[in-house]
Amino acid sequence: MSNIRHILRLHAQRQTQSEIVVQTGIPRAVLKKYISDFKNSGLTFSEINLLNDKDLDELFVKPDDTALNERLQTLFNLFPAIDKELKRKGVTRQLLFEEYKKKHPDGVGKSQFSWHFSQWKARVAPSMRKEHKAGDKLYIDFAGDKLSFIDQSTGQTIPTEVFVAVLGASQLTYVAAVMTQQKEDFIPACEDALHYYGGVPAAIVPDNLRSAVTKSNKYEPTINETFSDFAEHYNTTILPARAYKPKDKALVEGAIKIIYTRIYAKIRDVKFYSLEELNKAIAVALEEHNNQLVTGRDYSRRQQFDEIEKATLLPLPSFRYEFKKQQYSTVMKNGHVSLSLDKHYYSVPYGFIGRKVKVMFSRYLVEVFYNYERIAIHKRWKRPYKYTTDKEHLPANHRFMAELEPDRLLQQADEIHKDIKIYLAKIMEKTQHPDQANKICLGILSFSKKVGSERLAKACQRALDYGIYNYRTIKRILENGLDKQEDDSEVEELKMPEHDNIRGGDYYK
């Protein structure tokens, strides 16, 4: 009856039928009928406006409208099922209207179908104006009112934040108490919600809290790096609600109002002595809430979830997200950054030398970011004062030396002669630093091009007999032609090199 009063008021204000249709959404045929009945009544708008709803109903609903009322009643009985079907992907009002007309050929037309459904939905769910597709969005926020527990050791009351999540289509709700709204508590709460649902929605819609959004923007807000990394791990998208736009988060705010009655009120007189105890009580009340019939419907949130939304969620990854810590470092001249906690060094592309970068690390991985872009990723090692280097990060001249791995050098030596391989292996065994050993071995192998493989092999054989393992020994043997002498007795004793730190034989007399 309020709609009829509104229509007649606009008509009395001399608005055209087209303008009234646009403002009210009422089908033009229905509008014409109301205006015709108004004119036939012989009453003015002021007189009609004084009538109560019962008199107004008798004035505008005629006995010959009985058939229409029966058709509308049949249609109204179908609306709960129609509303549920609309939440399925690919289902539209047009499709459902066509199915309705097949089953009820004498039913109302398309315009009346759409208008009456909109009116019904506004009446049974006045806070829900937006259509929510199954598996599309998860809305999250913190309740304004806090809960608390008592610290047994001190007797102090510890306040807690209350995290709330609700799926758009089924409105299945998740609630948990956490210590703070900081990302250390916020992100695990989001993760627990996804595991509660047993799947991942296409997008998560948070409020503009600092743990989720670093910088608000109407078109492209900056997402907190850790939260963005969490979303990437779960293969979903973060779509922050617009600042000062309450309709963007109306669903979760409505859920918060409901849990004040169905959860807060139920546990208000109970004393809890740990966060775990508090969450257990919340979980019990939450299940009662999710299994209770939705107002004006013949199904619960849990039934709605199981029927239309559970199957549309993306699968959970095989392992949980690992929360990461971070630090800022300056890239050293050798192209590495230090993870101060482990005193270990990790390479980055050499073009970032001297730049300040962000190092994010978990139990197993170390990632390096510059201007929000990841420039390096390494497996985490906890060996202090060691280097982990990706050869692709090095300039070309440094990359060649880095690729001189011991196995590769020994393979080259073995292809020339097995005694050369044995000699190089001894050098690697006795030299303290691997880079130093690689340079010595590379120098010895270079002799094969200067004097030939055969002479180098004999020089290594002779040096093995001496038990001296260095580059200078091989060089001296080749320069003096000692590799060409067959009998060791004829070989001159190698001269002791001159050096200030060598005392000589006379010192001991």
Side-chain angles (χ1 to χ4, degrees):
M1 291 303 104
S2 61
N3 287 331
I4 293 178
R5 293 180 195 277
H6 182 52
I7 291 167
L8 296 182
R9 181 181 296 107
L10 296 175
H11 176 70
Q13 293 172 356
R14 299 185 181 279
Q15 294 200 27
T16 66
Q17 291 187 12
S18 298
E19 291 173 338
I20 296 174
V21 168
V22 171
Q23 291 187 49
T24 63
I26 188 172
R28 188 178 293 272
V30 177
L31 174 63
K32 287 181 178 179
K33 176 183 179 302
Y34 287 153
I35 292 176
S36 176
D37 290 344
F38 168 66
K39 291 178 179 179
N40 294 333
S41 69
L43 301 174
T44 64
F45 171 72
S46 298
E47 293 172 336
I48 285 182
N49 199 35
L50 293 174
L51 298 175
N52 58 38
D53 286 352
K54 183 177 183 301
D55 293 336
L56 196 63
D57 180 76
E58 291 176 355
L59 180 64
F60 284 90
V61 179
K62 305 293 191 298
D64 58 0
D65 290 335
T66 303
L68 174 62
N69 289 340
E70 290 179 355
R71 293 200 302 271
L72 288 179
Q73 189 59 51
T74 300
L75 179 62
F76 291 159
N77 292 337
L78 296 174
F79 281 160
I82 290 173
D83 185 42
K84 182 184 293 185
E85 288 299 311
L86 276 174
K87 292 180 172 62
R88 297 183 184 272
K89 288 186 177 180
V91 178
T92 63
R93 287 192 185 186
Q94 176 63 32
L95 177 62
L96 294 176
F97 170 72
E98 292 172 357
E99 293 178 353
Y100 161 74
K101 288 298 286 184
K102 286 181 181 179
K103 295 180 180 179
H104 305 278
D106 59 341
V108 301
K110 179 181 176 182
S111 59
Q112 288 196 44
F113 176 91
S114 180
W115 184 77
H116 284 298
F117 177 74
S118 298
Q119 295 297 309
W120 173 86
K121 189 155 188 179
R123 185 169 65 255
V124 298
S127 64
M128 190 173 176
R129 291 287 186 269
K130 186 176 181 181
E131 297 291 341
H132 297 281
K133 293 297 180 181
D136 185 33
K137 292 183 178 71
L138 174 69
Y139 297 84
I140 59 176
D141 201 358
F142 283 97
D145 294 346
K146 299 182 180 183
L147 294 174
S148 63
F149 64 91
I150 300 172
D151 187 336
Q152 283 184 298
S153 60
T154 63
Q156 182 181 2
T157 299
I158 308 298
T160 66
E161 302 287 346
V162 179
F163 174 84
V164 181
V166 57
L167 284 169
S170 64
Q171 298 186 40
L172 188 69
T173 307
Y174 172 79
V175 181
V178 296
M179 294 305 301
T180 70
Q181 292 190 18
Q182 300 300 314
K183 60 185 177 183
E184 291 81 4
D185 293 315
F186 167 67
I187 292 178
C190 292
E191 185 172 40
D192 289 341
L194 297 181
H195 283 266
Y196 175 78
Y197 295 123
V200 183
I204 298 176
V205 183
D207 195 4
N208 281 271
L209 66 158
R210 194 69 177 175
S211 298
V213 180
T214 303
K215 184 177 181 182
S216 298
N217 184 279
K218 181 178 180 181
Y219 301 103
E220 191 174 1
T222 302
I223 310 301
N224 179 282
E225 287 183 9
T226 307
F227 194 36
S228 179
D229 187 60
F230 163 80
E232 183 178 349
H233 177 80
Y234 277 92
N235 193 27
T236 188
T237 303
I238 306 300
L239 297 176
R242 294 170 296 174
Y244 310 110
K245 296 291 183 180
K247 287 185 178 180
D248 287 4
K249 52 179 182 175
L251 199 63
V252 68
E253 289 191 346
I256 290 172
K257 291 179 181 178
I258 295 173
I259 68 168
Y260 285 155
T261 302
R262 297 187 179 176
I263 295 180
Y264 279 54
K266 289 185 178 181
I267 64 175
R268 67 187 185 281
D269 296 327
V270 182
K271 292 184 178 180
F272 303 100
Y273 295 95
S274 69
L275 185 65
E276 292 72 20
E277 284 186 16
L278 174 58
N279 275 321
K280 285 181 181 178
I282 290 175
V284 173
L286 177 64
E287 287 310 301
E288 293 178 3
H289 163 68
N290 282 327
N291 286 297
Q292 186 172 335
L293 294 181
V294 179
T295 304
R297 313 294 173 89
D298 59 353
Y299 52 81
S300 67
R301 291 170 174 82
R302 176 66 67 181
Q303 290 171 330
Q304 181 91 327
F305 172 76
D306 290 338
E307 289 180 16
I308 70 168
E309 193 152 32
K310 185 175 183 179
T312 65
L313 297 176
L314 299 173
L316 293 166
S318 56
F319 55 93
R320 281 183 170 248
Y321 174 74
E322 188 170 0
F323 193 81
K324 297 178 180 178
K325 297 181 180 179
Q326 65 181 37
Q327 69 170 55
Y328 287 92
S329 300
T330 300
V331 181
M332 300 183 296
K333 290 183 178 180
N334 62 4
H336 290 73
V337 292
S338 170
L339 181 57
S340 55
L341 185 65
D342 302 331
K343 296 182 176 60
H344 194 93
Y345 301 90
Y346 298 90
S347 68
V348 301
Y350 68 93
F352 293 93
I353 290 175
R355 304 288 180 89
K356 191 171 184 178
V357 296
K358 177 184 284 188
V359 181
M360 297 186 69
F361 57 97
S362 64
R363 187 184 306 175
Y364 303 108
L365 287 178
V366 175
E367 298 173 279
V368 185
F369 292 84
Y370 181 76
N371 284 347
Y372 305 105
E373 180 183 359
R374 189 173 68 186
I375 59 175
I377 180 170
H378 297 277
K379 181 179 179 181
R380 185 179 177 186
W381 295 99
K382 297 185 179 181
R383 296 174 296 181
Y385 308 110
K386 298 292 183 181
Y387 287 79
T388 296
T389 305
D390 185 339
K391 296 171 187 175
E392 297 298 323
H393 294 163
L394 303 176
N397 56 333
H398 293 179
R399 194 178 304 167
F400 171 74
M401 292 304 299
E403 290 175 350
L404 292 178
E405 298 176 354
D407 291 342
R408 181 180 170 186
L409 291 171
L410 292 176
Q411 182 181 354
Q412 291 180 13
D414 192 39
E415 291 173 356
I416 301 173
H417 196 280
K418 65 177 182 178
D419 288 336
I420 301 177
K421 177 183 178 182
I422 294 172
Y423 189 72
L424 296 191
K426 287 289 186 180
I427 290 176
M428 293 177 182
E429 179 184 337
K430 295 182 178 296
T431 306
Q432 185 174 6
H433 198 282
D435 288 348
Q436 182 184 13
N438 289 346
K439 289 181 180 180
I440 294 172
C441 293
L442 188 63
I444 292 173
L445 287 173
S446 67
F447 283 124
S448 65
K449 296 180 180 179
K450 299 175 182 177
V451 301
S453 301
E454 185 177 350
R455 287 195 62 190
L456 178 59
K458 290 183 178 180
C460 289
Q461 291 168 0
R462 190 167 293 275
L464 286 169
D465 292 339
Y466 296 156
I468 304 174
Y469 309 104
N470 56 51
Y471 171 82
R472 292 190 302 275
T473 298
I474 299 297
K475 183 180 179 181
R476 186 181 296 274
I477 290 173
L478 293 172
E479 287 178 347
N480 294 333
L482 301 182
D483 58 294
K484 299 177 181 178
Q485 298 181 15
E486 298 295 336
D487 190 356
D488 286 346
S489 62
E490 299 178 5
V491 177
E492 293 184 10
E493 184 179 339
L494 289 174
K495 295 181 180 180
M496 183 70 69
E498 296 181 1
H499 197 283
D500 294 340
N501 293 333
I502 298 176
R503 296 167 179 171
D506 295 335
Y507 177 82
Y508 298 98
K509 293 181 180 179

